[in-house]
């Protein structure tokens, strides 16, 4: 069986949206984001087709790092006007509860899967409550993140709001994020954000 191409699936979804017309009105999209650099190329790619609200829900990120990333994504979307912003309470206990027993897993393993589920479940819930047409995440822009797993999780969570498939690293997405980061002088971190990831990065 051929693996699904999630970037092509997203393009098909967008093509259908454009074909439907919608009376000239863009559908709404709740876009979970982890940081400004990852969001930059995703927003540039999607802004033509959706009315976007960026959701900053990341209980995995440590306090000081969380505030730094949050301030940077707010600065970026304020400067560009590419999206609105929505925040969630920052409760790290939600993350630690979700990954209990998986603290020693390697980066990219089961602990990360639980973290993806936690953040995408909240995104899906808020997308439904807010009446959004679609929801997705910037996480697939990272070459280190499992796009197949992320899309499978998102797909399983869709109810009223539809999951927008993505593999944002495709079509030079990750490269473009580095260029936009330089253009807007964005703070670019070298680890995912959780204490476990930070410890791994400090060892390398």
């Amino acid at each position: 069986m051929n693996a699904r191409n999630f970037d092509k699936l997203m393009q098909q979804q967008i093509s259908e949206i454009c074909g439907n017309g919608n009376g000239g009105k863009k559908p709404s999209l709740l876009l979970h984001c982890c940081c400004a650099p990852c969001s930059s190329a995703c927003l540039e790619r999607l802004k033509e087709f959706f009315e976007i609200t960026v959701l900053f829900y990341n209980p995995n990120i440590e306090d000081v790092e969380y505030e730094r990333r949050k301030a940077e994504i707010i600065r970026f979307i304020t400067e560009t006007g590419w999206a609105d912003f929505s925040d969630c309470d920052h409760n790290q206990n939600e993350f630690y509860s979700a990954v209990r027993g998986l603290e020693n897993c390697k980066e990219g393993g089961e602990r990360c899967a639980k973290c993806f589920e936690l953040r995408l479940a909240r995104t899906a819930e808020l997308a439904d409550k807010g009446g959004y047409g679609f929801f997705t995440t910037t996480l697939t822009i990272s070459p280190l993140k499992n796009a197949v797993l992320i899309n499978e999780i998102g797909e399983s969570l869709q109810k009223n709001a539809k999951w927008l498939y993505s593999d944002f690293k495709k079509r030079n997405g990750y490269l473009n994020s580095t260029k936009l980061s330089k253009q807007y002088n964005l703070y670019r971190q070298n680890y995912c954000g959780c204490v476990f990831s930070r410890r791994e990065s400090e060892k390398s």
Side-chain angles (χ1 to χ4, degrees), residues 50-110:
F50 298 93
E51 292 291 342
I52 306 170
T53 298
V54 163
L55 174 67
F56 195 71
Y57 172 64
N58 298 290
N60 57 309
I61 300 178
E62 299 176 277
D63 288 334
V64 174
E65 180 73 9
Y66 176 90
E67 292 300 333
R68 188 173 186 182
R69 294 193 195 188
K70 176 181 171 181
E72 198 70 338
I73 184 61
I74 291 173
R75 177 177 74 83
F76 177 71
I77 63 175
T78 299
E79 287 184 14
T80 61
W82 289 351
D84 293 324
F85 180 79
S86 181
D87 195 10
C88 285
D89 292 337
H90 183 225
N91 183 354
Q92 282 189 275
N93 289 330
E94 293 177 348
F95 169 67
Y96 290 126
S97 294
V99 302
R100 187 173 291 120
L102 303 172
E103 293 86 352
N104 295 320
C105 288
K106 287 188 177 182
E107 188 77 6
E110 191 176 354

Side-chain angles (χ1 to χ4, degrees), residues 9-177:
L9 286 173
M10 181 185 73
Q11 292 180 65
Q12 289 171 10
Q13 286 176 293
I14 290 174
S15 179
E16 290 173 4
I17 290 167
C18 294
N20 289 336
N22 294 321
K25 184 178 179 181
K26 297 178 184 177
S28 56
L29 169 69
L30 188 61
L31 176 66
H32 166 264
C33 81
C34 55
C35 63
C38 287
S39 302
S40 62
C42 301
L43 286 169
E44 186 181 60
R45 183 170 292 181
L46 297 172
K47 63 184 174 65
E48 179 182 350
F49 308 106
F50 298 93
E51 292 291 342
I52 306 170
T53 298
V54 163
L55 174 67
F56 195 71
Y57 172 64
N58 298 290
N60 57 309
I61 300 178
E62 299 176 277
D63 288 334
V64 174
E65 180 73 9
Y66 176 90
E67 292 300 333
R68 188 173 186 182
R69 294 193 195 188
K70 176 181 171 181
E72 198 70 338
I73 184 61
I74 291 173
R75 177 177 74 83
F76 177 71
I77 63 175
T78 299
E79 287 184 14
T80 61
W82 289 351
D84 293 324
F85 180 79
S86 181
D87 195 10
C88 285
D89 292 337
H90 183 225
N91 183 354
Q92 282 189 275
N93 289 330
E94 293 177 348
F95 169 67
Y96 290 126
S97 294
V99 302
R100 187 173 291 120
L102 303 172
E103 293 86 352
N104 295 320
C105 288
K106 287 188 177 182
E107 188 77 6
E110 191 176 354
R111 185 184 66 241
C112 291
K114 289 293 183 182
C115 185
F116 297 156
E117 289 175 9
L118 174 67
R119 290 188 281 173
L120 290 179
R122 177 64 64 85
T123 305
E125 176 188 1
L126 293 175
D128 282 340
K129 285 184 177 179
Y132 289 87
F134 294 85
F135 72 102
T136 196
T137 179
T138 64
L139 290 169
T140 63
I141 201 167
S142 170
L144 302 177
K145 297 292 190 293
N146 186 333
V148 174
L149 175 61
I150 291 167
N151 278 282
E152 287 176 348
I153 293 170
E155 188 177 46
S156 72
L157 292 167
Q158 61 184 344
K159 292 181 182 177
N160 295 322
K162 297 179 182 178
W163 170 251
L164 182 69
Y165 295 101
S166 76
D167 194 348
F168 285 116
K169 72 178 74 62
K170 301 289 188 180
R171 291 183 283 149
N172 293 317
Y174 181 75
L175 177 62
N176 194 35
S177 76

